[in-house]
Amino acid sequence: MNFSLPGYTPPDFSTPRLSTAPTATFTPVRRHGVAPEGYHATTVFPEYFQLSPGQWVLAARSRMDCVVVLAEKELLVKEFRNLRQGDLVAVGRSENGEQGIYVHTQGFAGPDQLDDKFAFRSNRTRETSFSIDYDQLYQLLDHERDQGFIVWVLGPAVTFDHDAREAFSRLIKLGYVHALLAGNALATHDLEGSLFETALGQELYHKRAVADGHYHHLDTLNTIRRAGSIQAAIDQELITEGIMHSLVCSGVPYVLAGSIRDDGPLPEIFGDVYQAQDAMRRYTSQATTVIALATQLHTIAAGNMTPSYTLTPQGQVRPVYFYSVDMSEFAVNKLSDRGSLTAKSILTNAQDFMVTLLRGLRERAS
């Protein structure tokens, strides 16, 4: 079975409500970083703005909790902090066309589901069966590898297990990773694995603590900082394998967002949180599939800046698929009410997920 994108049903702008709607109002920003009164805040859904009678324009590359700026008949979605004096911001709190703004929530609506008032196992928990989710994910990733943009959001747990680390490195080389969003810890412990075959001082495979192992991540940071960068350490053959090595050698971009907890940190870390957010959004705005694994805060951050839709190079509207994978029910369900029609959660640990995913993709290819 092969994956096919669901069709998108655009709004019917010929209906009386929309055909008689006024054009959208745009009000200039008077002070940098401050939206005008009555601004319209974006959702994760496709949103259309009537710029002239009958001309409804979709805001592309959107994200939730931002504003829409009109720039030469193009609609830009901006964070409040990026507003500049003179920007023309859409105003209006109505979302059904009354103010020339229409939020389309049913574009990817599927067949009706059974809606009993009482039903067992309606929420995703550790007891949920995820077999069909894996099978669907295999199909999706095979499609997205060549026709989409797959963004991974990873926590350091992926680097703590020998097989998981090897599996993700293999996924990079096989073309299933188009960008990586992470923090200092994932990169540091992956590089530690290459230098010392440990993660936080434990052997990657046997999990045995080694003498002075608690120094290893600090020695790793010092080594990379001495080299000048991860790229330089690879060029000097200090780092010869692992996730970061695979990313660099495969030309896959990554964003390492800093934290108040960071040691070192690595030279590539974004220490300014808003620079990190801008860098992350460069890739979430391109994403067609996002897989967030074992990192609650990065998952929430990426989820908040990822819309439920994007445009293909041909201008077609398609869904953005978002997977949240974690052992914690709270973590995976945190985004369940963010409005995405395609967000899915899988309850499992990072190691089992990564190894199972690689195995399933290989079996499909064989």
Side-chain angles (χ1 to χ4, degrees), residues 136-247:
Q136 291 171 345
L137 185 54
Y138 304 148
Q139 298 168 31
L140 173 64
L141 291 181
D142 276 340
H143 173 273
E144 300 286 72
R145 179 175 58 177
D146 300 319
Q147 301 181 56
F149 193 86
I150 308 167
V151 176
W152 291 77
V153 187
L154 296 186
V158 177
T159 69
F160 293 160
D161 179 77
H162 174 274
D163 290 352
R165 183 170 173 267
E166 289 287 327
F168 190 66
S169 296
R170 185 63 182 159
L171 289 175
I172 295 168
K173 295 171 184 175
L174 289 173
Y176 291 104
V177 181
H178 299 140
L180 171 70
L181 311 180
N184 186 62
L186 175 124
T188 297
H189 298 309
D190 171 68
L191 296 165
E192 177 190 344
S194 182
L195 288 170
F196 300 103
E197 298 184 359
T198 64
L200 272 180
Q202 275 193 345
E203 293 177 342
L204 287 173
Y205 184 76
H206 294 288
K207 306 305 175 193
R208 294 183 297 231
V210 301
D212 289 335
H214 60 287
Y215 274 101
H216 284 185
H217 75 285
L218 298 174
D219 287 341
T220 297
L221 288 163
N222 215 34
T223 298
I224 303 301
R225 291 174 68 85
R226 184 184 300 115
S229 67
I230 296 172
Q231 174 75 66
I234 292 173
D235 292 342
Q236 296 170 31
E237 298 186 354
L238 300 173
I239 303 299
T240 58
E241 54 82 42
I243 292 172
M244 300 310 297
H245 183 273
S246 298
L247 290 171

Side-chain angles (χ1 to χ4, degrees), residues 335-354:
L335 297 176
S336 63
D337 60 353
R338 58 183 282 272
S340 174
L341 298 172
T342 52
K344 287 189 177 181
S345 56
I346 295 178
L347 269 294
T348 187
N349 65 61
Q351 296 80 13
D352 288 349
F353 174 80
M354 201 63 77

Side-chain angles (χ1 to χ4, degrees), residues 29 31-36 39-42 60-69 75-85 87-90 273-285 301-307:
V29 170
R31 180 180 175 184
H32 290 345
V34 181
Y39 62 84
H40 171 77
T42 53
R61 298 207 171 203
S62 188
R63 64 161 291 184
M64 65 186 292
D65 294 339
C66 287
V67 293
V68 176
V69 173
L75 297 178
L76 306 177
V77 177
K78 286 190 175 185
E79 295 86 354
F80 287 72
R81 60 187 168 81
N82 289 325
L83 290 174
R84 292 296 177 262
Q85 187 174 1
D87 281 350
L88 296 175
V89 172
V273 66
Y274 299 117
Q275 290 181 359
Q277 187 184 108
D278 288 343
M280 291 173 66
R281 194 183 173 204
R282 280 199 293 272
Y283 300 111
T284 59
S285 67
N304 285 347
M305 64 179 75
T306 304

Side-chain angles (χ1 to χ4, degrees), residues 67 232-233 256 272 312 346:
V67 293
L256 303 179
D272 184 305
T312 68
I346 295 178

